[in-house]
Structures are given as structure tokens and as C-alpha cells.
């Protein structure tokens, strides 16, 4: 049965989407999902995070039901996500025997005071035994996930973290991160650019660092530093392909409205009226 909920927060859309795109953060917020292994794209095997070379979006997990005050029940299973589907961020999971399944959709939109989040969470049991072990009906468990885990995190933690970053003058929010061979990363620059509206992309390898400015999902100024050499323009991508080794590429979204508001406020305080 599907449980839905809608909430508005004084938090930017990019900050919320960044949090939702982190599977470890998401599983921790859910409170009943522990990631054990991740499907490695290169080996096509589930491995521990420390042995991962190229992460996928499939996980071996341990579902935990109960509280420290009651008897705990554990079930092995799978989780998948984050996936982008119809404008939403999607996570899903199931037990090994497929008797327990769930799916969560998150839609994030702009709102006058910040952002509006619509949550849709569906839980299904295939046997009545799970009802007795978990102590809740499927609908009650979906409500529990949303009301007792997701909403408190959004209200009490994510909003607070965002406000602290704004108070410190930090307006860049991480939206997407890709790690791996630098040549392969270079082929995914377009994907990183399309993940943000206005902001920048940082690429860092062992001996180089590069940045690409993005405005309205279009690349702007590009710069690469290698030793004492500075490379700009389209030559940046051409030179990145010639590099070797591991690197990381991160796309950051900039809260332009917040920057303009803070800047205009600061400047207005310095303006003096001169007149007779």
C-alpha cells in the first residue's frame, strides 16, 4: 500500500537532491537498512566498500526490524538506487525470498520559501509471518519510515546543516560525484554539466586539477593546472584525455538567488546617500 507525504523546507532544491543521491546517507536515514556490499561494475560481483573499484547502484543489505527495547529481527536482501525516474529519485529493495518488498519515490520542486518534497513509499509483505515479526502492517511500516525517520531527518538535521553552511557563506552544493580512470571521467563531463543549472565542475587527479564553469547547463570558462602550466578553453578536455591514473570529478550547484540576495544586502549597507 502506498503512503504519501508532502513537506516544505527552507532548504535549496540542490541540497536535498544531493542528500537523496547518497545511498549510504539514505539507508542510514531509513534506520532499518544496513549496506553490506556493493555491486562492482568491473567485476560484476558484490564486494565490501573497501574493495570497490567502480560502484554500481545495487547493494546487498541487512534489514533490521524492532528497537533496542524489543527483540530484533534481521532479514538479508537487496537495495537498488538512486535511480532517476520521471523527475524523481527512486530507491527500492526486497528480501532474498522476495516476501518483503518496498519502493520509495522522492520528488523535489522549488517553493517560495525553499523547496517542496513529495514522498511516496510503498511496502508489501507476501506472508502474514512478516506482520507478526515486524509488528506493523505494510501501510504502518511505510508510515513509520516516513514519519519517524525521513521527516525528522529533513526537518531537524538537513535543514540545520544547510543553514549552517549559508551562515558560513558556503553556497556550493555537491550534486554528482564520479571517481575512476581520468580518461573515462572526461567522457562523462557532459553528464556532469547536465546535472547542474549553474555552478562548476572540479576534476582532480594525481598531478592535475581542472575546473569548468556552468551557466544554464552550458559550459563556460575551463581551466586546467598541471605543474606550472595553465591550460584554458577547449584545450582542457583535449589534455585531460591524454592523462592517466585515477581521478575524481565533482559537480557543484550554486545557489545563485542566495548569492545575489546576500551580495545586494552587503552592498546596500555600504552605500551612502549624498545630497544637500
Amino acid at each position: 500500500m502506498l503512503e504519501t507525504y508532502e513537506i516544505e523546507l527552507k532548504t535549496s532544491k540542490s541540497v536535498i537532491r544531493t542528500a537523496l543521491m547518497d545511498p549510504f546517507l539514505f539507508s542510514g536515514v531509513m534506520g532499518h537498512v544496513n549496506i553490506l556490499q556493493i555491486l562492482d561494475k568491473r567485476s560484476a560481483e558484490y564486494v565490501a566498500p573497501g574493495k570497490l573499484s567502480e560502484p554500481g547502484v545495487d547493494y546487498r543489505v541487512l534489514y533490521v526490524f524492532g528497537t533496542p527495547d524489543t527483540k530484533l529481527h534481521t532479514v538479508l536482501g537487496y537495495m537498488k538506487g538512486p535511480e532517476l525516474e520521471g523527475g524523481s529519485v527512486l530507491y527500492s529493495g526486497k528480501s532474498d525470498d522476495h516476501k518483503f518488498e518496498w519502493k520509495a519515490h522522492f520528488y523535489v520542486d522549488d517553493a517560495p520559501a525553499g523547496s517542496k518534497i513529495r514522498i511516496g513509499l510503498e511496502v508489501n509483505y507476501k506472508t502474514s509471518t512478516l506482520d507478526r515479526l515486524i509488528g506493523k502492517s505494510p501501510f504502518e511500516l511505510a508510515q513509520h519510515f516516513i514519519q519517524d525517520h525521513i521527516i525528522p531527518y529533513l526537518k531537524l538535521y538537513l535543514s540545520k546543516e544547510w543553514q549552517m553552511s549559508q551562515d558560513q557563506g558556503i553556497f556550493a552544493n555537491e550534486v554528482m560525484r564520479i571517481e575512476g580512470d581520468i580518461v573515462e571521467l572526461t567522457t562523462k563531463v557532459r553528464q556532469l554539466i547536465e546535472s547542474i543549472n549553474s555552478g562548476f565542475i572540479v576534476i582532480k587527479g594525481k598531478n592535475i586539477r581542472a575546473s569548468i564553469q556552468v551557466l544554464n547547463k552550458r559550459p563556460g570558462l575551463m581551466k586546467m593546472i598541471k605543474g606550472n602550466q595553465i591550460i584554458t578553453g577547449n584545450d582542457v578536455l583535449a589534455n585531460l584525455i591524454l592523462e592517466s591514473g585515477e581521478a575524481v570529478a565533482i559537480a557543484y550547484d550554486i545557489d545563485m538567488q542566495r548569492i545575489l540576495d546576500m551580495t545586494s544586502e552587503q552592498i546596500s549597507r555600504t552605500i551612502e546617500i549624498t545630497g544637500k
Side-chain angles (χ1 to χ4, degrees), residues 8 11-14 107-117 257:
E8 288 195 16
T11 309
S12 73
K13 179 179 176 179
S14 62
Y107 299 85
V108 186
D109 297 303
D110 293 317
S115 301
K116 178 173 64 177
I117 311 170
Q257 183 176 353

Side-chain angles (χ1 to χ4, degrees), residues 2-154:
L2 179 66
E3 165 71 352
T4 60
Y5 194 92
E6 186 173 297
I7 182 175
E8 288 195 16
L9 298 172
K10 294 181 179 179
T11 309
S12 73
K13 179 179 176 179
S14 62
V15 169
I16 297 170
R17 286 184 64 87
T18 297
L20 291 173
M21 294 299 289
D22 184 338
F24 285 91
L25 177 59
F26 172 79
S27 63
V29 170
M30 287 285 281
H32 297 270
V33 186
N34 294 290
I35 295 177
L36 304 176
Q37 297 177 313
I38 307 166
L39 183 64
D40 192 306
K41 289 184 178 179
R42 293 187 182 178
S43 65
E45 295 180 351
Y46 287 97
V47 299
K51 297 181 179 179
L52 192 64
S53 58
E54 186 177 355
V57 294
D58 293 273
Y59 314 87
R60 286 290 280 155
V61 301
L62 183 70
Y63 293 107
V64 181
F65 301 103
T67 70
D69 301 322
T70 65
K71 186 176 181 180
L72 294 175
H73 303 281
T74 59
V75 180
L76 282 170
Y78 297 87
M79 183 181 82
K80 189 172 185 178
E83 297 180 285
L84 301 179
E85 181 181 284
S88 72
V89 178
L90 169 67
Y91 283 89
S92 59
K94 59 188 177 184
S95 60
D96 279 353
D97 59 10
H98 294 203
K99 292 181 179 180
F100 165 66
E101 297 182 354
W102 62 274
K103 183 181 293 185
H105 284 272
F106 297 86
Y107 299 85
V108 186
D109 297 303
D110 293 317
S115 301
K116 178 173 64 177
I117 311 170
R118 288 179 292 130
I119 305 168
L121 207 155
E122 184 174 8
V123 176
N124 288 302
Y125 303 154
K126 297 295 178 65
T127 66
S128 59
T129 305
L130 284 171
D131 281 309
R132 295 195 298 271
L133 288 176
I134 296 172
K136 298 179 184 292
S137 68
F139 182 71
E140 288 173 334
L141 185 57
Q143 284 185 319
H144 170 69
F145 283 148
I146 294 176
Q147 301 286 353
D148 296 334
H149 291 278
I150 298 173
I151 298 302
Y153 168 73
L154 293 173

Side-chain angles (χ1 to χ4, degrees), residues 228-242:
N228 296 323
Q229 185 181 13
I230 299 178
I231 303 167
T232 60
N234 292 329
D235 290 339
V236 170
L237 295 179
N239 278 269
L240 283 173
I241 294 177
L242 300 177

Side-chain angles (χ1 to χ4, degrees), residues 250-273:
I250 309 174
Y252 291 91
D253 189 71
I254 295 293
D255 190 341
M256 293 298 294
Q257 183 176 353
R258 180 70 172 172
I259 291 176
L260 292 172
D261 181 57
M262 291 288 290
T263 304
S264 62
E265 178 66 21
Q266 292 174 359
I267 292 177
S268 66
R269 292 177 181 176
T270 65
I271 296 176
E272 296 183 359
I273 300 177

